[in-house]
Amino acid sequence: MNKLRYSIIFGVLRPEISERISLGLIIIDGKEVNIRYSVKKLHALRGLFSKAEYEFVEKVLRTMSREKTIRTVEDISYLSRYSNNLLSLSQLQVIDLAPTKASKDWLFRNYVYAGSSA
């Protein structure tokens, strides 16, 4: 059985104290990489980031999601080590669930947001 692998996408609020907010997930189900993020949580960053910072984070998330710029486990591994400015990724995690739509939705609800995603 394939297991579900994921990485959490965080918005870094104050790196000096490791303050961050989960914005989305990168989910690998064995055959494809899916990127989902919470539009509501992203919009909450408007009051926490400068306009330029917010626009940068929004553009990166939108590009990652629509253009599938993250394609491999190695991409996630690299970004989890080196992207700690406004966005950061957790190390790739494995969970003992079959990669179904229901399990992906459960993962998003529990780690990011119970509402809608992009």
Side-chain angles (χ1 to χ4, degrees), residues 11-58:
V12 179
L13 304 175
R14 294 192 314 174
E16 65 274 10
I17 62 168
S18 301
E19 184 177 7
R20 58 193 187 170
I21 182 171
S22 61
L23 295 174
L25 285 176
I26 301 170
I27 302 171
I28 301 174
D29 68 5
K31 12 175 200 187
E32 66 181 9
V33 176
N34 296 90
I35 299 170
R36 296 172 62 180
Y37 63 93
S38 167
V39 174
K40 286 192 177 188
K41 278 191 162 181
L42 176 62
H43 287 224
L45 291 180
R46 281 187 180 144
L48 301 171
F49 284 162
S50 71
K51 182 179 179 188
E53 290 170 336
Y54 174 78
E55 288 173 354
F56 172 79
V57 168
E58 180 183 41

Side-chain angles (χ1 to χ4, degrees), residues 10-15 49 53 56 82-88:
F10 294 103
V12 179
L13 304 175
R14 294 192 314 174
F49 284 162
E53 290 170 336
F56 172 79
Y82 297 110
S83 64
N84 287 315
N85 191 7
L86 295 174
L87 285 175
S88 70

